């Protein structure tokens, strides 16, 4: 967390210093900013992930009294840590008629937030102190977007207020393990792992300021919703002395939802 905070403070400091320098270099009486043209730059910020998992029974189950399936059909809400995000972007703006600005933008970003679930719950079917324990971690190490933008410079020709939305994509990996215990002894173990690139949608908004003819600084929020991770069905990898025959379970993940706050520095041609 300390490294993330230092990275965010460094990014803000660099952009703040750049904005002061550009403003000082800008000649007095410069005309209103013209937003039309190509631009490219870098972004940095932070975000968190929201995702839930379902563990459901399927296939051949253990016979009573050692059947833990009664507790499987549960939604497991993951808790997210705050992660650093950063990368690059390019785009093009059209200032059709002041104060309306239309644009298109694409970006590719590193993403460091993970969704974790570590929980245990009691199974009424298992004898004694029967429990099912879950350790699930979901990661989206990178994502990208292709978005349209529409904004207005009504309040100040150099100050753009915009909304944005479009397509998103990202690589998701989920790993974990489900353990079934009875009377303190391990009965079954279900390891699983999935990894794939998924597509979805994104929407957000922000503000952008042009302190000098070729430079702009922005702050924005993006909500990204990626398609659910593919369900995976796995059999037991371990059978304890209480197990009678192999169990099979299925892990399903809800859509991966990213919340991203970031700042950016762009050079405009």
């Amino acid at each position: 967390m300390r490294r993330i905070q230092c990275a965010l403070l460094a990014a803000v400091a660099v952009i703040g210093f750049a904005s002061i320098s550009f403003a000082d270099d800008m000649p007095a009486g410069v005309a209103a900013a013209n937003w039309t043209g190509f631009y490219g730059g870098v972004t940095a910020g932070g975000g968190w992930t929201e995702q839930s998992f379902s563990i459901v029974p399927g296939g051949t189950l253990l016979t009573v009294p050692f059947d833990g399936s009664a507790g499987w059909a549960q939604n497991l809400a993951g808790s997210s840590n705050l992660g650093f995000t950063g990368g690059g972007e390019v785009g093009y703006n059209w200032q059709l008629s002041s104060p309306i600005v239309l644009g298109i933008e694409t970006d590719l970003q590193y993403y460091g937030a993970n969704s974790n679930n570590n929980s245990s719950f009691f199974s009424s079917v298992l004898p004694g102190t029967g429990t099912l324990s879950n350790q699930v971690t979901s990661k989206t190490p990178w994502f990208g977007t292709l978005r349209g933008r529409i904004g207005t410079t009504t309040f100040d020709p150099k100050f753009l207020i915009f909304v944005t939305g479009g397509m998103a994509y990202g690589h998701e990996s989920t790993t974990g393990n489900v353990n079934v215990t009875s009377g303190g002894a391990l009965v079954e173990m279900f390891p699983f792992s999935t990894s794939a690139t998924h597509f979805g949608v994104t929407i957000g908004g922000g503000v952008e300021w042009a302190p000098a003819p070729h430079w702009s600084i922005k702050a924005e929020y993006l909500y990204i919703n990626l398609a659910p991770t593919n369900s995976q069905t796995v059999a037991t990898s371990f059978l304890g002395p209480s197990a009678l025959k192999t169990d099979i379970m299925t892990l399903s993940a809800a859509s991966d939802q990213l919340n991203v706050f970031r700042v950016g520095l762009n050079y405009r041609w």
Side-chain angles (χ1 to χ4, degrees), residues 25-226:
D25 293 341
M26 186 172 61
V30 171
N34 181 0
W35 292 89
T36 297
F38 288 98
Y39 63 88
V42 294
T43 64
W48 69 92
T49 301
E50 299 175 6
Q51 191 172 32
S52 62
F53 308 91
S54 297
I55 298 177
V56 296
T60 303
L61 300 175
L62 288 172
T63 56
V64 175
F66 304 111
D67 181 359
S69 64
W72 285 359
Q74 295 210 6
N75 288 322
L76 311 173
S79 61
S80 175
N81 65 310
L82 179 65
F84 170 79
T85 182
E89 64 184 15
V90 294
Y92 188 87
N93 287 322
W94 295 269
Q95 188 152 8
L96 301 180
S97 60
S98 186
I100 302 302
V101 178
L102 302 179
I104 185 169
E105 183 175 288
T106 184
D107 67 318
L108 187 63
Q109 306 282 310
Y110 164 82
Y111 190 68
N114 302 327
S115 177
N116 301 287
N117 176 271
N118 295 282
S119 62
S120 298
F121 51 92
F122 175 75
S123 174
S124 59
V125 178
L126 287 167
T129 56
T131 59
L132 283 80
S133 301
N134 310 281
Q135 299 87 38
V136 183
T137 298
S138 180
K139 301 179 180 180
T140 306
W142 61 264
F143 72 87
T145 68
L146 176 61
R147 296 170 283 109
R149 300 202 313 171
I150 181 170
T152 178
T153 60
T154 299
F155 302 102
D156 186 329
K158 299 176 185 178
F159 193 78
L160 178 67
I161 302 173
F162 65 88
V163 293
T164 183
M167 180 191 74
Y169 56 94
H171 190 82
E172 299 177 12
S173 62
T174 301
T175 58
N177 197 65
V178 178
N179 296 327
V180 181
T181 61
S182 178
L186 180 64
V187 178
E188 294 181 279
M189 181 184 297
F190 297 91
F192 53 85
S193 177
T194 64
S195 180
T197 299
H198 297 278
F199 291 84
V201 297
T202 180
I203 189 171
V207 295
E208 191 165 0
W209 175 50
H214 294 288
W215 295 93
S216 65
I217 300 166
K218 76 172 184 179
E220 68 180 349
Y221 164 77
L222 290 179
Y223 168 77
I224 299 169
N225 190 313
L226 299 176

